Amino acid sequence: QVQLVESGGGLVQAGGSLRLSCAASGRRFNNNAMGWFRQGPGKEREFVATISWGGGGTKSYADSVNGRFTISRDNAKNTVYLQMNSLKPEDTAVYYCAAGRAAWATRNIGDYDYWGQGTQVTVSS
């Protein structure tokens, strides 16, 4: 059974940092792109960041987080990370990690087959 389990969410003040982790089990995702998405209150799920297969040579970010968030992966641990700095109240959302169907980094939510249950991030002003 394939599982993606996010952790590291919580409550933080504006300007603070959090590091999210997503541990995969049930299969290896070394050859798959991985992504982070988020869903704020009353909003649709939106793209945050994606990283390509293997060493993660290709990364892409939503404009709203570019320069503040960093996605990375550790294939030995079958884990992907999202380092979030300079957090803003508008970053408040449930954050989901996802495993892509293919190797290339993609912002398209439809290109992801496996999803975690999500972790809540709340940024207070």
Side-chain angles (χ1 to χ4, degrees):
Q1 180 183 0
V2 177
Q3 279 191 312
L4 300 178
V5 179
E6 302 96 337
S7 61
L11 174 64
V12 64
Q13 288 188 333
S17 298
L18 284 174
R19 188 194 194 203
L20 304 184
S21 299
C22 172
S25 62
R27 61 161 284 185
R28 307 292 301 181
F29 287 104
N30 297 18
N31 296 324
N32 298 77
M34 301 294 292
W36 286 96
F37 292 78
R38 67 186 182 186
Q39 188 166 13
K43 299 181 180 180
E44 293 186 352
R45 194 170 298 189
E46 64 176 4
F47 165 76
V48 175
T50 180
I51 185 169
S52 59
W53 72 287
T58 300
K59 302 176 184 180
S60 182
Y61 300 91
D63 289 346
S64 59
V65 307
N66 196 25
R68 300 187 296 122
F69 290 11
T70 303
I71 189 171
S72 61
R73 64 190 301 163
D74 184 337
N75 292 325
K77 296 181 178 180
N78 215 20
T79 298
V80 64
Y81 304 97
L82 186 68
Q83 177 66 44
M84 306 186 296
N85 298 330
S86 302
L87 283 161
K88 304 175 181 180
E90 51 263 44
D91 294 319
T92 294
V94 177
Y95 282 72
Y96 300 89
C97 75
R101 190 173 308 123
W104 51 85
T106 173
R107 299 174 171 230
N108 186 357
I109 197 170
D111 289 336
Y112 292 85
D113 284 340
Y114 299 101
W115 292 83
Q117 82 290 347
T119 185
Q120 176 71 47
V121 171
T122 303
V123 184
S124 63
S125 57

